Amino acid sequence: MRHVIFRVEKERYGLPLSAVREVVVPPERFTRVPRAPPAITGVMNLRGRVVTVVELRQLLSLPEGPTPSARVVLLDRGRRDLGLLVTDVDGIEAVERVSAAPGKLTPAVRGVARLGGLGVTVLDPEGLDAAVVALFTHSK
Amino acid sequence: MTMDMSRYLGLFISEATDHLEALGRDLVQLERESSAGVVDSMFRHAHSVKGMASSMGFESIAILAHRVEDLVDAVRQDRGRLDRDVVDLLLTAADTMLAQVRAVAENTPPEDASALLTQLGNRVTAMTGQALAATRVARVTALKPAGGSSEDSDGSVVSVPARTGGAAPPAPPAPSTGTDSSGGVGGATTQVGGAKTSVEGSPEASGASSAPRSVVGMAGASVVVAGLDLPPDLLAPVVPSPDTAGSTAGAPGVDAASSAVAAVAAAMGLVAPATTDLGDGLKASAGALPVATPPAVPDARVASQRWAVRLRIAPTCQVPGVRAFLVHKRLTNLGSLVDLRPALEELKAGRIPDGYIQLELETAAGDAGIHASLKNVAEVEVISVKPAVAAPAPVVTPLPTAEGNRPANDSSSRTVRVRTELLDYFLDTVGELMLATARLREVSKVLPENTRPALEEGVYRLHTLVKDLHDKVMTARMTPLSLITDRLPRAARDIARRKEREVDLVITGAEIELDRAILDELADPLMHLLRNCIDHGLESPEERIAAKKGPRGRVLVAVKRARDRVIIELEDDGRGMDPAKLKTSAVAKGLLSVENAARLTDREAFLLSCLPGVSTAKDITDISGRGVGMDAVKRVVENVGGTLEIDSEKGRGTRFTLRLPLTVAVVHLLLVEVGEEVFGLPIAKVVGATEADGDLLSRSRETALLPHGNSLLPVHSLDTLLGVPAPARQGARPFVVMDADSGRVALAVDRLLGQEEVVLKPLSRPLDLLPGLSGITILGSGRPVFILDVPRLLSA
């Protein structure tokens, strides 16, 4: 299956192409979402639609640190407008065999795959969605 | 499911749901006042569901619908049979079917309904005093010449003779045999029932599960045979000759037969079976029928006469298809319909040129019988009933179908079903167009003088067009309140039964329209208010009698339109609320000071019931009182831009008044700046704004107090409420005074930016999970701005 491959700092991630609507350059500033969990970068206006942008680093509980972010990967989630803030997008690659990911199980991660000799973490769009909703519900 | 079927799946789901909901409403209405019209309507709904479900291949739904049809038919024969238990049973069946339809929609296995089927079957048996078997043997033989009829003898009852000669024993209401359980399309529908029930009995028996169409095709064929095969001599001379009928060549009998098959099959919502089926059916039933019906044949010849009937459906009729179908059903109850123009499928689709229907009927009922059977069909005028003995000269030359179709098609294309998501999308897009236009206008402001006018003119034109389009989209989104109030009678009945209350629910003005978005939001609050009225508002019949009221409580739901608002009033004539108790409760909960409580008017006190946890009900009943959920009701009403008022008189009742905007799309905001962020406050809730030095304000337990009028308002700093970083401020700053749940509050902000009318966008997941936000909008500058729900912000 074809995946969009992107990076958060040095780590590589993949999302099924069918789950990605488009990749855009983030705006100069995001509108901050009051009372939102820290993983929520903010909302942006994409041609009149309001997109909630999430910092992938925090969503996947990676160690804290500034993300030099150059791109927003927009998920195609029906009427839910969700974007992932990532460092950069590498391109589209076919990812075939996905094996279990090491470490803690999280619904957002489907597994790992080998791509051009390097590892790539394959994400699960449904799981990402659930993880974002979980962020909001737990923070209360 | 193949792509081809899935195209119809959505339609099936929405239509079946409509029919089943209507069935439920009819039941509740029927329980109140028994009328033949309602029973007929119920029958139609069950029948439609059955037809749709079987054509889609959803056996379990079709079987259940069929049983419901049987039971409704039993009720139709004698409405005295209808009691609460039957209504309960039918409601359960309707609910089960709804659940099954939902299961289809969600692609999950349907719930098992075998117990329900047995119950329904037993009911029918108990009512009609006969087992569900009877003459079915003949038909089974016709279907499956090889025999094996005994194992599926639980099917419905079809009397073949009734259709063969018209003079057969069962007269129209057919009390004894339950013959016409499916009415007009009679033979055909019950045939399907037969086919389906045989599936039920032995799933593999007829292979119906894999190929329902072919089974129905066969069934249709055999019915027609029943109509034509037996009295061939009677039929032959009166079949319209090819030239008069303008129909095709070929043996007239076969032609009529095949068109009847087509009609029957069409009535089922199925494709017309191939003629080979007909041939098989002819052969099969030719052998089988005489065995089953020997006595009927001579009777038929003696008593039956052929009548040419002309009818007209009133041009004002909104549902010509339904009326025509009813006519068809009534007449097939009388005897066999030989010629029908337009054909049944056209009739059902409402394609009736100028409303004229002509047909020939063989019946022993006579013209008086025909008139009588059509008497109660509304909007149908019987033009003539004449004997048609020999070669019947057609009373009216049928209009060529191509010509006749056009106006009818026009009328049917006047309305279309549109998925609600599409409507939402239209609104989203047109809202975005408005925002884009505003953005263009902003841009034009920085252009050099000489290029500006041309652009401004274009922008102005664009703005006008977009605004017009916006209006049209909003109109398309207007939906009658009946969409949600239709569910109330059923709910009222259920609540009342559970609570052993007697209640009359009166709904007026349900045809008034509101924007879909508001309507969707209102469904739960209205249901909640209704529950409140019945649960807590109304007394038990004994208490009511003691209070010199009628034993039956009354809940009135009145919808009115007042300029740009829609007003919904929910009123009960129950025990009312006690403002003093509400005040005491609120004070006890620490939500209100004693002095403030004393100052509240009664009307303000009633609104205390909307504060979480405040209730007077505890000292009246042991069930949780009005305090639960009323806060949610108030919040929803206010979030869509409406207001809630409560009025009550002790011992006389309570009235909830919801004042709602027609649309949610446009709201007035006061824009404020906090730190680097901009937020919108709904103007409706803003009382005023003032400037003061925060450090100089007096304090009480850490909370600053702002003098406003002759009272002191608690001050909340918006930056801390929202968790937005803002630099500490010295000196004078603006405060916005707003209405909140328990009185006014002052919000400290950094800057007032002014008022703006904006297009509101609902929050999509996950933003809707955050408390204190009621929506979002995009300003002309392209900046997204959140709209705050201050009461929620303060309480959460």
Side-chain angles (χ1 to χ4, degrees), chain B residues 13-259:
Chain B
I13 290 163
S14 73
E15 292 199 342
T17 307
D18 284 355
H19 280 296
L20 290 170
E21 283 175 352
L23 179 65
R25 285 197 296 279
D26 284 347
L27 277 163
V28 175
Q29 192 192 339
L30 193 65
E31 199 180 28
R32 277 209 310 271
E33 43 161 349
S34 168
S35 88
V38 181
V39 183
D40 284 344
S41 154
M42 276 164 58
F43 192 86
R44 263 196 315 277
H45 292 309
H47 184 73
S48 304
V49 171
K50 186 177 78 176
M52 291 176 202
S54 59
S55 65
M56 293 290 292
F58 299 127
E59 315 280 333
S60 57
I61 302 173
I63 294 167
L64 196 49
H66 179 66
R67 285 293 168 81
V68 167
E69 216 180 68
D70 282 348
L71 188 52
V72 172
D73 188 54
V75 171
R76 177 155 69 171
Q77 288 161 26
D78 177 4
R79 289 203 299 280
R81 286 167 174 165
L82 190 82
D83 57 25
R84 280 197 172 181
D85 291 338
V86 173
V87 173
D88 278 344
L89 187 59
L90 286 170
L91 281 173
T92 314
D95 287 348
T96 308
M97 284 189 277
L98 266 174
Q100 286 177 340
V101 170
R102 227 173 286 133
V104 165
E106 288 157 10
N107 209 4
T108 52
E111 80 185 71
D112 177 61
S114 49
L116 188 60
L117 280 173
T118 319
Q119 268 182 296
L120 286 165
N122 291 344
R123 261 294 156 162
V124 175
T125 312
M127 277 188 183
T128 55
Q130 66 175 182
L132 295 161
T135 48
R136 216 182 144 254
V137 180
R139 186 161 31 82
V140 171
T141 327
L143 272 169
K144 290 192 291 170
S149 58
S150 56
E151 84 269 30
D152 30 11
S153 57
D154 66 330
S156 65
V157 188
V158 154
S159 158
V160 175
R163 235 135 248 108
T164 50
S176 59
T177 57
T179 304
D180 296 297
S181 65
S182 61
V185 218
T189 25
T190 22
Q191 284 287 8
V192 171
K196 296 300 172 195
T197 35
S198 75
V199 172
E200 182 196 348
S202 51
E204 303 309 319
S206 59
S209 54
S210 59
R213 284 171 191 224
S214 68
V215 172
V216 174
M218 286 285 283
S222 70
V223 172
V224 176
V225 169
L228 294 178
D229 188 50
L230 280 174
D233 47 339
L234 195 75
L235 260 169
V238 287
V239 165
S241 56
D243 51 340
T244 50
S247 72
T248 54
V254 172
D255 188 37
S258 63
S259 67

Side-chain angles (χ1 to χ4, degrees), chain A residues 29-37 40 43-50 52 79-82 132-134 136-137 139-140, chain B residues 424-425 428 432 435 676-677 679 721-725 761 764-767 769-771 773 776 778 782-784 786 793 796:
Chain A
R29 63 184 308 278
F30 288 98
T31 291
R32 185 188 284 270
V33 183
R35 295 189 173 193
I40 306 296
V43 297
M44 59 179 274
N45 166 15
L46 178 79
R47 299 187 297 271
R49 293 183 82 100
V50 177
T52 308
R79 286 175 53 78
R80 294 186 190 188
D81 295 301
L82 202 60
V132 172
V133 170
F136 277 78
T137 38
S139 68
K140 270 199 250 174
Chain B
D424 290 342
Y425 177 82
D428 274 2
E432 282 160 24
L435 297 169
E676 291 186 337
E677 301 293 328
F679 294 99
L721 270 182
L722 297 170
V724 172
K761 288 170 162 290
S764 59
R765 194 96 331 172
L767 298 175
L769 297 168
L770 291 170
L773 304 180
I776 192 165
I778 297 176
R783 180 180 193 160
F786 284 100
L793 211 50

Side-chain angles (χ1 to χ4, degrees), chain B residues 668-670 681-689 735-739 790:
Chain B
H668 287 262
L669 294 181
L670 173 65
L681 300 169
I683 288 276
K685 290 259 153 192
V686 173
V687 178
F735 292 85
V736 180
V737 178
M738 297 196 64
D739 273 326
V790 174

Side-chain angles (χ1 to χ4, degrees), chain B residues 499-502 538-545 551 575:
Chain B
K499 295 281 296 180
E500 292 172 353
R501 298 276 194 274
E502 301 277 339
L538 294 182
E539 313 90 331
S540 65
E542 299 78 45
E543 281 175 75
R544 290 184 65 89
I545 289 165
R575 55 172 69 93

